[in-house]
Amino acid sequence: DSYPNIVRENKIQVAAMPEIENIGEIKEGVSFTYTAAVEVKPDVKVEGYKDIKIKKEEVSVSDKEILDTISLLRERHAIFKDAEDGAEAKDAHLVSVDWSGTIDDKPIEGADAKDYSFVIGSATLLKDLEDDVIGMKKGGERDIEVKFPEGYKNKEIAGKTGRFKVLLKDIKEKILPDLNDEFAKDADCENMEQLRERVKADLIGYKEKREEERMRDEVMKELIDKNKFEIPRSLLEHYHRYLLTQVGERIKQGIMAKEDIGLSSQQIEERYAKMSEDLVRHDIIVDAIAKEHGLGVSDDETDAKIRELADDAKEPFQKFKAALDEKGGLNYIKENLLENKVFDLILSGAK
């Protein structure tokens, strides 16, 4: 326990795990000695944050935005029922199909399915396949030509043209609920007027949050530009590894940021290297301003935020807190609360 005690007692802002060197012999009655070499965060005096001028844009919500949001809510409450006999598949229908795909009369590995269901127009499948199901009737079969995109995830068939034999086994049509007070009650409101007011308040809250994020981004960009200092290489490498790991996990799930599409592996590494540097500078600047003004986060403040999150998740407070602690989430919440205080301090003078 000697190393963490020394760090805590001397208030050393370590940047990474230490390298232990010069380890002495362990002998009874003799003090055990070693050397811990560790990079520390720079002691930064942040300049320019007291006179930043950022204009807050007023947010508003139009009637169309309210109606569009209610329409999305209506879509979520839709049900599907069997289409009438002889009905043709069309956009927004839920269909069930069997299919098998070939290229040059050879089966495509993994390109066959039984009782596969999807909503036409949802972009679940390749566009050629979805579009050509339109007009088919239950029990009908069709031979569909499909062009695989150049950037298709299976590189062996990317850019090639295949053929799919499709059997349409079932068609269901979407039934949307009426927009009336009964619908509002299903959304936990007394009537449609109350639902519209709640949607409006939610949209305003969302836009207010986005505007605050924009202001924070402007503030931090300006502070990073104004304050140049050396950053610990180990901390930079840690952030870079973390971001690239997250990118890799998302790619495995078929998710890719639009900014990353079309980039080579080297270009992605370079993009996230720059992002890592900005994040390290961001954290060091926030910590420095908090230290200068004696800002901190109490256990009561942390618990209040955890209780709020637990209530939103409809979970007991202690169970939710224990799960957070196990995942290392308590530190994240404290860092987030501290960052909020720092930006509140900056933005209070940035009118």
Side-chain angles (χ1 to χ4, degrees), residues 140-320:
E141 295 185 74
R142 185 171 286 180
D143 193 19
I144 299 174
E145 185 175 280
V146 175
K147 180 74 163 65
F148 291 95
E150 293 292 341
Y152 193 64
K153 57 186 178 182
N154 185 341
K155 302 302 181 185
E156 293 183 4
I157 59 177
K160 295 183 179 180
T161 299
R163 303 201 69 84
F164 280 77
K165 292 186 181 297
V166 177
L167 167 64
L168 182 56
K169 302 178 76 172
D170 192 29
I171 304 175
K172 295 183 184 295
E173 60 179 329
K174 182 188 293 184
I175 307 297
L176 294 170
D178 293 330
L179 291 178
N180 53 28
D181 289 348
E182 287 303 313
F183 172 75
K185 288 176 182 177
D186 286 339
D188 297 325
C189 291
E190 291 295 323
N191 49 49
M192 283 300 297
E193 183 58 33
Q194 189 180 90
L195 176 60
R196 279 189 284 268
E197 289 301 317
R198 192 186 76 183
V199 167
K200 181 179 181 180
D202 288 346
L203 287 171
I204 288 175
Y206 170 76
K207 288 190 173 186
E208 289 279 5
K209 185 176 181 180
R210 290 291 299 271
E211 175 59 14
E212 183 177 340
E213 288 172 354
R214 181 195 67 80
M215 294 175 68
R216 286 187 175 202
D217 287 344
E218 280 196 33
V219 165
M220 189 50 62
K221 184 177 185 304
E222 190 169 329
L223 291 181
I224 288 175
D225 288 343
K226 286 182 176 179
N227 293 271
K228 303 299 181 184
F229 49 84
E230 291 292 323
I231 59 177
R233 179 174 293 278
S234 56
L235 197 57
L236 181 60
E237 290 174 350
H238 170 74
Y239 275 57
H240 194 204
R241 282 195 304 272
Y242 173 78
L243 290 179
L244 290 178
T245 298
Q246 295 300 304
V247 171
E249 290 299 321
R250 288 196 296 270
I251 290 175
K252 287 178 184 177
Q253 298 168 20
I255 303 169
M256 187 173 238
K258 61 181 181 180
E259 297 87 356
D260 294 342
I261 295 174
L263 297 183
S264 66
S265 297
Q266 182 177 346
Q267 288 171 322
I268 287 178
E269 285 209 19
E270 290 171 356
R271 182 171 116 75
Y272 283 93
K274 176 63 173 67
M275 195 181 297
S276 302
E277 181 176 340
D278 287 346
L279 284 172
V280 172
R281 293 187 183 281
H282 172 287
D283 286 356
I284 290 174
I285 287 171
V286 166
D287 287 346
I289 295 175
K291 181 180 178 182
E292 181 180 350
H293 291 269
L295 300 178
V297 177
S298 69
D299 290 342
D300 287 344
E301 289 173 314
T302 304
D303 282 348
K305 183 61 180 179
I306 295 171
R307 195 174 300 279
E308 178 187 326
L309 295 173
D311 289 344
D312 289 343
K314 294 180 172 54
E315 288 191 20
F317 168 73
Q318 290 296 345
K319 179 182 177 182
F320 190 84

Side-chain angles (χ1 to χ4, degrees), residues 3-18 37-44 230-232 234-235 239 280 283-292 295 335 338:
Y3 171 74
N5 287 338
I6 292 170
V7 168
R8 185 169 52 252
E9 290 169 6
N10 291 275
K11 298 179 180 179
I12 300 172
Q13 296 293 310
V14 299
M17 295 296 290
V38 63
E39 279 194 291
V40 298
K41 294 179 182 179
D43 189 10
V44 175
E230 291 292 323
I231 59 177
S234 56
L235 197 57
Y239 275 57
V280 172
D283 286 356
I284 290 174
I285 287 171
V286 166
D287 287 346
I289 295 175
K291 181 180 178 182
E292 181 180 350
L295 300 178
E335 289 168 4
L338 181 62

Side-chain angles (χ1 to χ4, degrees), residues 330-348:
L330 295 185
N331 283 337
Y332 172 79
I333 287 177
K334 288 181 179 181
E335 289 168 4
N336 188 253
L337 289 172
L338 181 62
E339 183 171 303
N340 289 343
K341 289 186 177 186
V342 169
F343 277 105
D344 286 346
L345 173 73
I346 297 171
L347 293 175
S348 65

